[in-house]
Amino acid sequence: MLAFRAYSWFLARRLGLTILTLWGLASLVFIMIKLMPGDEAQMAAGADASAAQIEAVRERLGLDAPVIIQYFGFLGRLLRGDLGTSIVTLQPVLNDLEKVLPSTLELVFLAMLLNLAIAIPTGIVAANRQGGVFDTVCRVTAVMLGGMPAFWLALVLQYLLGSVWRIVPISGQASFGMAAPAVTGATAIDAIIALNGPAFLDALHHLILPAAVLAALFATQVFRTLRASLLGVLRSDFITAIRAKGASSRRMLVGHALPNSLNPVLTLSGTQAGAMIGSAVLVETVFARQGIGAYMFNAVAQKDSFAVLGSVMFIGSVVCLVNLAVDILQLLVDPRIRAAQLGSQSQ
């Protein structure tokens, strides 16, 4: 009974914090939108609209009401799951997001695969060869990539791999005439559904560079976390005891040290999955891919306030919910964190 109360109290606190975070995010974005220069009604009515037409649009969108009324109206729509209607596409923002989300998800999925495929093996080898040449090169590279602006890395790779060596395309999602009929909105998945091998390879060709840039932003965090965790486990008493029993270095590393080092990496990876969707905004813009990033960029450029608010709230909600799921999963699988968060009531 005490354990149930402890779990319930933990979930209530985390849900309350999530709601508070989303409310703060919504308020901050709303204020920033209102402070941006330009007239929303003018943008919605068009450059050639008359004064009467602009005022009619202003009244139809509720922009003639006091800002505080607009703010509470915005919060009320959010509570009903309504992200508003884009003043540019004239479609519900949620419908627009459903169309561009698959493209962003396939980018994030491939980036996460590359992230783990690069960071975990290098983290293991670097920890096993601490202080060696490989470890030093990896740590220096991680520091350099970690401090490198994403757009600069993207532009450099575009120039070298796309323009100079012509290995990969530098923009777009498919070559002219190669895209399979749209079913899901994700070019690679649509090619698989159409059983079109050339279209699938073409989609991967366009996807690999932006996914590599996105992966590089997060792989350094996974590398450093795994290396530090693995070094801590390798110095622990139970590893010393296993080593004294004559276990081989590979068995000690892979069979005993690695499983006990992965918990922080799994937690970090779960958090990164949500953060990658937010970071995809910049990568999609640089590589001219049609996803949430491009949608949000165009919305900001056109002062489409409902689209900007809806996009930010959607991405913020995904990040908050992923973080909440990671916290709950971590609580369930790690007794040390369970004891720290819930105390003796859960024991």
Side-chain angles (χ1 to χ4, degrees), residues 91-107:
Q91 297 294 318
V93 173
L94 202 54
N95 291 356
D96 286 343
L97 292 178
E98 287 178 355
K99 295 176 183 174
V100 297
L101 181 61
S103 175
T104 300
L105 289 182
E106 72 172 353
L107 172 64

Side-chain angles (χ1 to χ4, degrees), residues 95-284:
N95 291 356
D96 286 343
L97 292 178
E98 287 178 355
K99 295 176 183 174
V100 297
L101 181 61
S103 175
T104 300
L105 289 182
E106 72 172 353
L107 172 64
V108 169
F109 178 74
L110 183 59
M112 182 56 76
L113 286 182
L114 293 175
N115 171 20
L116 298 179
I118 295 171
I120 290 181
T122 52
I124 294 172
V125 176
N128 194 41
R129 300 178 182 177
Q130 183 189 11
V133 175
F134 183 83
D135 181 33
T136 303
V137 170
C138 287
R139 284 189 293 137
V140 171
T141 304
V143 171
M144 291 174 61
L145 284 177
M148 193 176 294
F151 75 92
W152 190 82
L153 176 63
L155 292 176
V156 169
L157 291 179
Q158 272 185 326
Y159 175 71
L160 293 178
L161 301 180
S163 300
V164 178
W165 297 323
R166 298 183 180 279
I167 298 175
V168 291
I170 61 174
S171 64
Q173 293 172 248
S175 300
F176 180 74
M178 288 294 293
V183 178
T184 65
T187 50
I189 303 300
D190 289 342
I192 293 175
I193 293 175
L195 300 178
N196 190 333
F200 175 71
L201 293 178
D202 182 71
L204 283 184
H205 206 202
H206 283 78
L207 191 58
I208 189 67
L209 187 54
V213 171
L214 191 57
L217 302 177
F218 292 89
T220 57
Q221 300 173 15
V222 175
F223 165 77
R224 287 197 293 257
T225 301
L226 177 60
R227 180 181 177 277
S229 177
L230 199 50
L231 286 176
V233 174
L234 287 173
R235 293 173 184 143
S236 62
D237 293 338
F238 90 93
I239 288 295
T240 303
I242 293 172
R243 186 182 286 118
K245 291 180 181 178
S248 66
S249 297
R250 174 173 297 186
R251 179 177 177 79
M252 180 185 63
L253 180 66
V254 178
H256 299 281
L258 184 59
N260 287 281
S261 308
L262 287 178
N263 190 43
V265 175
L266 294 176
T267 304
L268 177 63
S269 300
T271 306
Q272 286 184 337
M276 272 189 178
I277 295 180
S279 299
V281 171
L282 178 61
V283 174
E284 286 177 341

